[in-house]
Amino acid sequence: MAVVKVCGTETEYGIQTIGMPDTNPIAASSMLVNAYVADVKRRAAWDFDDESPGRDARGYARKGSAAPDIETHLANAVLTDGARYYVDHAHPELSTPECSTAMELVCFDKAGELILERSMEAASRVLDPGQEIVVYKNNSDGKGNSYGCHENYLMDRSVPFARIAHQVTSHFVTRIIFAGAGKVGSEGPGSSAGTITFQLSQRADFFEEEIGLETTLKRPIVNTRDEPHADPRRFRRLHVIVGDANCAEVATFLKVGTTSIVLAMIEDDFLSSTGSDLTLASPVRAIREVSRDLGLSKPLDMATGRQMTAMEVQWELLRLGRKYAEDRGLECVGGSDPGGAILDRWEDVLNGLESDPASLARQLDWVAKKQLIDAYRERHGLPWTSKRLAALDLQYHDLRPERSLFRRLDTEHLVAEEDVERAVYEPPETTRAYFRGRCLERFAPWIASANWDSLVFDLGSDPLRRVPMMDPLKGTAAHVAALLDECETPQQLIERLGA
Amino acid sequence: MPEREQKRHRAPERETPEEAEEVAPSAKGEKLKAEMDDLLDEIDEVLEDNAEEFVRNYVQKGGQ
């Protein structure tokens, strides 16, 4: 039986400074993260001093503190919602807390955007007039430089990695038809300027290998990084680097939801048992073909010698997903309710893509962006090479509310605004992120370091006390909420845990 | 050329919810067009002033 598909995203945001010619992107990213952390602490202190519990309604009070993780001079914070917010490769990066369903992850992914938005506001308060730090949730600068939105999925260690890599590749290549964030033009090796006007994916241009360990050059479709951040005898964390950063909630939901189901089918060796072979003859060639095929009709060469379109591969995966749900159930993706919602939405979107892709402008990033750019191009009579279209593409992903073009579109929301607001401060209840987040909220001054798989407490006189969290499904609200409520001090908590 | 796979993969039919909005297609099309026109007006206002410079300056280093 497949393990629960605990999942999370790590988003590297594009960063741009205005009026700060001497500031490099690493320094700007650090300023951004530090400004946010300082601002949250200030709010928490203010709420506390004010002794006005009524103000807690907005979720600020006593939920604000963040513990710095002192392993590097770069900004690096673990937040009370269980997320990690830091500087990586000259970008601000936010890793969501571990979530147990795709829908939960949509909420925490959006909360991540809100954290970046508030970071920009916090930075603007300490910068000089005329200076500004701006972040973009995209994956490319249009000049051949890419930065990622990685996904992570919990898998059973006993599943042979070769099977995962072999079977998941066709999903990674073809899910672009709904998970692509859209891009004007093309970049990287083999691209000839002007011939590609628009493509479905931000990232497809940058993948040159089928499988490998790299993440910054010669990027592989399947990444082999083996760093489980959990008990390595029981678990694997599949690190997925091939996806686009999505703004549209439905796109994120489907990207993560369909991948969770496909991985569960691989884990239970269900795909092999159906006799279905969706192996692509040349995945690297295919990922570019799919991304550049706006008509969604290009036949891809399959290893069997036949051809299938990306749509056909996705229809087949959906058919198998429905069969898997009937035969094995959907416990590992949250049960029949949230799991079934993934299958239903998957089907709706494939139907929409087949009959009229434009009908999905409220659901999918690439469709929304394409529609916007087409209309703008038509109104101003612009050629595809116009810099104004490239600007429009970038600005779609601008996280400043007053500048974001995505925000101006009436896209479909799957999670309520108040839930996203809460997810900025409160952890998910269904994974170990709950224990991490609640401990940081309650006992931050005594936490020497917070990592994915442990918390280290410094209680003063004793040696440091490490609380291991090797199972991502332990430390949930069901396990530890009562215990945490009963403990008034970190000493009591450590004693009760026997750590 | 390898033989093109003809088989269509159709998921089973599901009940489709009733249309929330009962607007004639042409009226709906005009409404969408009007909305898009308004949006384009807004975009003209918020789009970075100097698109060429904005795009040229947007350079990202070292990403994963």
Side-chain angles (χ1 to χ4, degrees), chain A residues 275-466:
Chain A
S276 182
D277 186 355
L278 297 174
T279 312
L280 291 158
S282 174
V284 175
R285 191 177 72 213
I287 200 168
R288 282 177 180 64
E289 288 175 335
V290 172
S291 184
R292 294 166 185 194
D293 174 25
L294 299 178
L296 309 176
S297 57
K298 177 149 180 97
L300 307 172
D301 291 332
M302 308 301 287
T304 55
R306 288 193 282 191
Q307 292 188 311
M308 288 175 84
T309 65
M311 284 289 299
E312 286 166 342
V313 171
Q314 283 296 317
W315 276 120
E316 178 64 1
L317 285 169
L318 172 62
R319 186 185 70 79
L320 294 167
R322 288 233 180 258
K323 192 166 182 309
Y324 176 78
E326 277 170 31
D327 291 4
R328 313 282 178 99
L330 292 172
E331 264 39 69
C332 64
V333 289
S336 58
D337 186 8
I342 299 169
L343 292 170
D344 290 349
R345 179 64 76 154
W346 196 353
E347 182 176 336
D348 289 346
V349 164
L350 292 184
N351 273 323
L353 287 170
E354 198 160 69
S355 58
D356 178 19
S359 67
L360 296 168
R362 295 186 65 241
Q363 283 77 29
L364 305 183
D365 285 306
W366 78 261
V367 178
K369 188 189 282 183
K370 172 95 173 21
Q371 205 169 69
L372 195 61
I373 286 177
D374 280 342
Y376 192 81
R377 205 164 51 85
E378 205 173 301
R379 171 184 278 202
H380 296 283
L382 299 171
W384 273 104
T385 49
S386 165
K387 293 298 178 210
R388 280 157 80 185
L389 300 185
L392 206 71
D393 184 349
L394 285 174
Q395 213 174 322
Y396 179 90
H397 304 272
D398 191 325
L399 285 194
R400 291 172 296 179
E402 73 280 9
R403 290 284 187 168
S404 165
L405 300 188
F406 169 76
R407 288 275 194 100
R408 283 166 197 273
L409 305 173
D410 175 31
T411 56
E412 181 180 345
H413 293 288
L414 298 178
V415 288
E417 240 173 272
E418 55 265 33
D419 290 339
V420 177
E421 176 64 45
R422 191 182 313 118
V424 169
Y425 297 101
E426 294 181 19
E429 298 194 337
T430 53
T431 67
R432 66 184 174 191
Y434 181 81
F435 182 75
R436 181 188 312 119
R438 287 290 314 278
C439 282
L440 284 166
E441 171 222 319
R442 297 280 311 280
F443 307 125
W446 293 275
I447 294 176
S449 80
N451 296 300
W452 295 114
D453 54 11
S454 72
L455 286 181
V456 179
F457 287 81
D458 182 352
L459 302 178
S461 52
D462 293 328
L464 297 182
R465 307 294 280 272
R466 183 171 180 274

Side-chain angles (χ1 to χ4, degrees), chain A residues 129-239:
Chain A
Q131 295 186 327
E132 196 175 3
I133 300 175
V134 185
V135 292
Y136 296 80
K137 193 187 188 190
N138 61 0
N139 304 104
S140 154
D141 67 358
K143 300 171 186 69
N145 302 308
S146 186
Y147 33 102
C149 175
H150 299 176
E151 302 144 64
N152 297 293
Y153 300 90
L154 188 71
M155 297 198 70
D156 190 326
R157 173 60 69 169
S158 65
V159 182
F161 189 78
R163 190 209 297 164
I164 301 173
H166 178 72
Q167 296 187 352
V168 82
T169 300
S170 29
H171 180 57
F172 286 163
V173 169
T174 57
R175 68 178 188 167
I176 285 174
I177 62 175
F178 50 76
K183 181 165 80 175
V184 172
S186 68
E187 304 161 86
S191 71
S192 37
T195 56
I196 308 297
T197 54
F198 186 89
Q199 57 179 315
L200 309 188
S201 164
Q202 291 254 308
R203 284 279 271 181
D205 283 338
F206 299 97
F207 285 79
E208 300 173 58
E209 305 282 342
E210 287 180 31
I211 181 166
L213 190 56
E214 298 287 351
T215 56
T216 57
L217 50 105
K218 290 213 171 284
R219 293 182 183 86
I221 294 170
V222 173
N223 183 251
T224 54
R225 181 181 295 176
D226 188 4
E227 194 185 11
H229 294 312
D231 183 347
R233 291 161 304 176
R234 296 173 59 204
F235 300 116
R236 176 187 300 286
R237 171 180 66 117
L238 185 69
H239 184 237

Side-chain angles (χ1 to χ4, degrees), chain A residues 12 15 88-89 91 141 143 147 203 215 305-306 312 315-316 347-348 354 379-380 395 403 408, chain B residues 2 5 8-10 12 14 37 39 41-42 44 46-48 54-55 57-58 60-64:
Chain A
E12 287 184 313
I15 185 163
D88 196 24
H89 295 272
H91 298 273
D141 67 358
K143 300 171 186 69
Y147 33 102
R203 284 279 271 181
T215 56
R306 288 193 282 191
E312 286 166 342
W315 276 120
E316 178 64 1
E347 182 176 336
D348 289 346
E354 198 160 69
R379 171 184 278 202
H380 296 283
Q395 213 174 322
R403 290 284 187 168
R408 283 166 197 273
Chain B
E5 181 158 275
R8 300 295 296 157
H9 302 286
R10 288 285 181 181
R14 283 189 306 114
D37 278 340
L39 185 62
D41 290 341
E42 278 184 48
D44 277 331
V46 300
L47 197 63
E48 297 288 346
F54 167 56
V55 170
N57 289 344
Y58 189 87
Q60 300 293 308
K61 302 276 183 202
Q64 292 211 60

